[in-house]
Amino acid sequence: MLLFFTLGLLVHVVFFASIFDIYLTSPLVHGMTPQFTPLPPPAKRLVLFVADGLRADTLYELDANGNSRAPFVRNIIMHEGSWGISHTRVPTESRPGHVALIAGFYEDVSAVAKGWKENPVEFDSLFNESKYTWSWGSPDILPMFAKGASGDHVYTYSYNAKREDFGTHDATKLDTWVFDNVKDFFHAARKNQSLFSKVNEEKIVFFLHLLGIDTNGHAHRPSSREYKDNIKKVDDGVKEIVSVFKQFYGNDGKTAFIFTSDHGMTDWGSHGAGHPSETLTPLVTWGAGIKYPEIVSAQQFDDNFLKEWRLENWKRRDVNQADIAPLMASLIGVPFPLNSVGRLPVDYLNGTDHFKAESVFTNAVQILEQFKVKMAQKKEVTLPFLFTPFKFLSDSEQLNILRKARSYIKQGKFDEVVSLCEELIDLALKGLSYYHTYDRFFLGINVVIGFVGWTSYVSLLIIKSHSNLTRDVTKEVKKPSCLLLCSFGAIGILVAVFLLIQACPWTYYVYCLLPVPIWYAVLRQFQVIQDVVASLLTFPLSRFVGFLLVFTLGIEVLVLSFFYRCMLTAGLIAFAGWPFLTQLWTQAKITSLSWTFFSLLLAMFPLMPVVGREPDISLVMGAGLLVLLLSLFVVTSLIKRKNSLVKEELLVHLLQMLSTVLSMYVVHSTHSSLFKKQGLPLMNQIVSWATLASSLVVPLLSSTILFQRLFSILLSLMSTYLLLSTGYEALFPLVLSCLMFSWIHMEQELLHQSGVSCKQKLTSTQFSYNTDIAQFRQLCLDDIRRAFFLVFFLLTAFFGTGNIASINSFDLASVYCFLTVFSPFMMGALMMWKILIPFVLVMCAFEAVQLTTQLSSKSLFLIVLVISDIMALHFFFLVKDYGSWLDIGTSISHYVIVMSMTIFLVFLNGLAQLLTTKKLKLHGKPKSHLT
């Protein structure tokens, strides 16, 4: 069994990793020649302001009194420069956003997990191409561009990371630090001849990263006074810095200014996905080389923003975020970043038509260079008769367009040059995408073949070892056919040789060779397949079709629950009526009523708003009080018993009740302290981490009697969950556990009804590693229903309080009892544990169900594996790389989640066994059991 699960885990890890090779590979290529505009640039220097986490609507809209929150920036829009919306891409996080702004390309989604401080891949940037770059701001952003630069011409000035505290002080101080240090820098430059000469060079960049708005948005939400006041502070700071530049350079008119943001933010203070509040960011430009405001009578856009912002008469120029990098390069005359895929927004430039034409031509050649390198790389590793070039941009077509564009420049037909080069850019970008996804279909087919083979093998294993559908002779291990073995061996060799000739990456060997042994294992069970077919032929057709339709409907409900949380509500309502469709209602009315009541109660949660959007600490306190009341009831029942274990059990439960009380105090105290901006109290932090550390140890001190151990696990995990809660979700594990207790009772009642004898009552049943194998029975159709219940409850545990398929569903306020200083991986780990706590409760209940129904964990687990794999295959076909970025990101995250769930099942099954069966001795007393 251990070998099977190890192999199963390995197979699923491969299937999980395949999505990154198929859909999330790095788009970068190397070996291009730098391209820059040959004409003198309009600006000598560029100042880039990036207000981290600033939404476009919050900057541009007027307040209730009709006043702008950023009067200086609004004055720029109306009298000095050009403006628009910069459309970002998923993931809307700080690192990918800054890479798009400064390097001009979009990192793949997996880059978020590779860290904010390191470069997962080497790339060129505007800073690298500049003569000198000085940058001020967050230690999480600045180092990645300095590290990626060639030479030592990129200078960074960062504050201490501990300043990025969501709870201690007003985050506007982060921006004030940047503005003050820039002023000090120019003051020092007047006295330092070496520095003075550097800042008077051409092709230089000043980068001001302003993190305060993002920090206040996370801590207080974008609708808060703190967030909006921070915008005013930034506006004042920008005005002051512009004045400093004008004074220092004698108002020479050679400075270009860019004001934008890396990403926006949702109403509930998070970002990462593709909601418009996250992808729409402001872009305001002014100074040297920038077009002045253009007054228009009407503008056509698909939104009503212009009217809402009262900017209908000022021309709005929207861009994609990566377009800003070539704009900045063009303004100061440095080579376009080599990996940039941005299109130069010519409409922002105020230069001559000749300059615009040359700039767009340079942009086209720079992107075409990437296309040529990408094509050459793919052609080099593909067999000539299998290589299919991008037909819309052949070598002759490239030369023809470039010659024609150069001819138009000589003739002074600059508008024609711009039009022709934009067409070339469009074709080159499509060609880049074509070669980037060249192997996608090939890899996808291999993964699907492997998926189908693995699911078939597990299904045959279930039928052969855990059912009565096959003859006894098939359960004997037969020697495989030599012809079959040689055939699959030959197929494997041919596939390996084919990949070797094409110099494919090692991962391709894994995806292409994995199906070979899987299908060999399937075809080895040919006799089992024959027996199954023979059994199905004797099965009534109407019943078979009925079972198939019900199974398909169940799978579709599970799949739809990823998109619509209300499907979980519909499923739970259907579950509530289950006892009335059987004889359970007449035989166990109290159990049936409790099942129906808690099913309907749990069905309310998916209908509620996603966690974090409407925080309410009073609900967390209420959940804690309910846990304490339930604990008192259990303690009272324990006191009534008279045996040697009562004192030990009482001591454990009292300890857990104390932990619950402390958690309630810490939540209330921390919330109050952060509201007063006094930071996270050290004692609260110590108690929180101690509670988390003990939550997996204290249950092991309790009795292994089924309900006592399950209740102990609930109490310990609830203490941690309270610390991670901000609202109604604190009630969720409690209601879920009550339903799980009812489920255990229901399953035993159903087993009684079916005529299977139960040797022990639930009140005396104990968890134990040494379960008698003779008690195990064969699978029946009802066991498929039990496995379906488990998968449904796991999805309810995942999506019951939020759609975690979206990165922006995470609320940082959940971890404030543990830490408030920005630490993405630690915060991510804590939020992941919050998600897994209901998962662990369901798995522990499932252990009890397996025990009470006298079914081996392997057989039920295999059915769950088949259901999960069918869902995963479903989502694999739903993955898309077209449409809105919200659709693309969601489709990928759904597949990742269902595959992660399958992998986590293996680990959490082991954790559930540990939590339910392991017993630690207290005070050195020998372990004893109830009889």
Side-chain angles (χ1 to χ4, degrees), residues 89-94 96-97 107-112 263 272-273 807 885:
R89 286 192 183 181
V90 174
T92 45
E93 297 287 350
S94 291
E107 282 192 302
D108 61 85
V109 179
S110 61
V112 177
H263 56 74
I807 297 173
W885 281 102

Side-chain angles (χ1 to χ4, degrees), residues 397-415:
E397 184 70 14
Q398 296 173 36
L399 291 172
N400 183 43
I401 294 175
L402 291 175
R403 284 199 197 100
K404 193 181 290 186
R406 183 51 67 189
S407 174
Y408 283 156
I409 290 175
K410 290 179 180 178
Q411 296 172 31
K413 298 179 180 179
F414 302 124
D415 290 341

Side-chain angles (χ1 to χ4, degrees), residues 59-62 66-84 235 283-286 290-296 299 306-317:
L59 176 74
Y60 291 141
E61 69 186 5
L62 303 179
N67 299 320
S68 172
R69 298 188 184 93
F72 176 75
V73 171
R74 193 170 182 93
N75 182 70
I76 293 292
I77 292 172
M78 293 181 168
H79 302 104
E80 292 187 41
S82 296
W83 76 286
D235 184 69
L283 174 61
V284 181
T285 63
W286 69 100
I290 297 295
K291 189 175 287 186
Y292 287 99
E294 185 176 340
I295 307 300
V296 293
Q299 302 184 69
L306 288 169
K307 187 176 181 180
E308 293 173 10
W309 301 337
R310 300 182 192 176
L311 290 170
E312 306 100 310
N313 299 325
W314 284 267
K315 187 171 182 180
R316 169 179 150 190
R317 301 172 170 92

Side-chain angles (χ1 to χ4, degrees), residues 327-399:
L327 173 63
M328 294 189 293
S330 179
L331 287 171
I332 58 175
V334 299
F336 287 32
L338 293 174
N339 304 113
S340 172
V341 293
R343 301 166 182 257
L344 177 65
V346 185
D347 210 22
Y348 272 84
L349 295 176
N350 193 33
T352 63
D353 289 341
H354 186 195
F355 178 78
K356 294 177 183 178
E358 287 284 4
S359 297
V360 177
F361 181 79
T362 303
N363 187 199
V365 173
Q366 172 258 325
I367 294 177
L368 184 63
E369 281 282 312
Q370 294 181 74
F371 167 80
K372 289 158 74 173
V373 171
K374 195 83 171 178
M375 182 180 69
Q377 288 179 352
K378 186 52 61 181
K379 191 174 183 178
E380 185 180 347
V381 296
T382 306
L383 293 172
F385 65 90
L386 291 177
F387 180 71
T388 307
F390 182 63
K391 60 183 179 180
F392 300 108
L393 197 56
S394 61
D395 292 344
S396 59
E397 184 70 14
Q398 296 173 36
L399 291 172

Side-chain angles (χ1 to χ4, degrees), residues 7-58:
L7 290 174
L9 182 62
L10 182 63
V11 168
H12 283 88
V13 168
V14 171
F15 291 155
F16 175 81
S18 68
I19 199 73
F20 296 97
D21 262 330
I22 297 173
Y23 290 97
L24 301 176
T25 51
S26 173
L28 298 188
V29 290
H30 300 283
M32 292 79 68
T33 306
Q35 305 291 327
F36 58 91
T37 307
L39 300 179
K44 290 183 177 180
R45 64 199 74 90
L46 175 91
V47 184
L48 173 62
F49 300 97
V50 176
D52 203 305
L54 176 60
R55 292 165 49 148
D57 57 348
T58 317

Side-chain angles (χ1 to χ4, degrees), residues 483-544:
L483 177 62
L484 184 66
L485 182 61
C486 293
S487 299
F488 276 90
I491 291 171
I493 291 170
L494 287 173
V495 171
V497 170
F498 175 76
L499 297 174
L500 185 64
I501 292 172
Q502 298 202 106
C504 292
W506 67 270
T507 51
Y508 282 39
Y509 288 84
V510 177
Y511 305 138
C512 297
L513 290 175
L514 185 62
V516 176
I518 289 176
W519 277 102
Y520 171 69
V522 170
L523 294 181
R524 277 187 64 184
Q525 308 298 328
F526 183 72
Q527 185 62 51
V528 179
I529 298 172
Q530 282 185 319
D531 289 349
V532 171
V533 172
S535 298
L536 290 177
L537 290 175
T538 62
F539 203 72
L541 182 62
S542 57
R543 288 189 66 189
F544 174 73

Side-chain angles (χ1 to χ4, degrees), residues 642-830:
K642 294 182 179 180
N643 57 63
S644 59
L645 290 179
V646 167
K647 290 183 180 179
E648 186 176 326
E649 285 298 307
L650 279 175
L651 184 61
V652 172
H653 282 308
L654 288 173
L655 181 64
Q656 291 175 319
M657 289 175 68
L658 176 62
S659 178
T660 303
V661 171
L662 283 174
S663 293
M664 292 170 65
Y665 168 77
V666 168
V667 170
H668 185 270
S669 172
T670 301
H671 178 75
S672 176
S673 179
L674 294 180
F675 182 76
K676 297 174 184 176
K677 297 184 179 178
Q678 295 175 350
L680 172 61
L682 179 61
M683 186 54 65
N684 288 12
Q685 193 173 20
I686 292 171
V687 170
S688 297
W689 284 106
T691 302
L692 175 63
S694 64
S695 62
L696 295 177
V697 178
V698 175
L700 305 183
L701 299 172
S702 65
S703 168
T704 56
I705 295 175
L706 192 143
F707 277 114
Q708 289 185 29
R709 174 54 67 93
L710 289 178
F711 186 71
S712 181
I713 293 169
L714 170 63
L715 285 184
S716 283
L717 293 180
M718 272 301 296
S719 297
T720 303
Y721 201 85
L722 290 173
L723 294 170
L724 293 166
S725 298
T726 59
Y728 75 86
E729 81 273 19
L731 296 163
F732 180 73
L734 193 58
V735 177
L736 180 65
S737 294
C738 290
L739 182 59
M740 292 299 99
F741 288 138
S742 300
W743 183 29
I744 296 166
H745 277 290
M746 289 284 285
E747 292 296 353
Q748 192 178 57
E749 292 292 344
L750 202 64
L751 213 61
H752 274 300
Q753 189 186 91
S754 63
V756 178
S757 62
C758 297
K759 295 184 178 180
Q760 286 184 308
K761 294 182 179 180
L762 283 177
T763 52
S764 60
T765 302
Q766 293 204 23
F767 287 109
S768 173
Y769 272 124
N770 303 316
T771 307
D772 185 7
I773 297 176
Q775 293 179 357
F776 293 157
R777 58 180 175 80
Q778 295 287 54
L779 285 169
C780 60
L781 283 176
D782 215 29
D783 293 320
I784 298 177
R785 191 257 315 151
R786 291 184 179 98
F788 178 81
F789 272 23
L790 173 64
V791 177
F792 188 90
F793 288 138
L794 288 175
L795 291 183
T796 304
F798 263 119
F799 297 114
T801 58
N803 179 16
I804 67 158
S806 176
I807 297 173
N808 68 17
S809 291
F810 294 123
D811 180 21
L812 289 179
S814 299
V815 303
Y816 286 171
C817 288
F818 294 86
L819 74 166
T820 54
V821 177
F822 182 64
S823 176
F825 297 111
M826 185 63 72
M827 288 177 166
L830 286 168

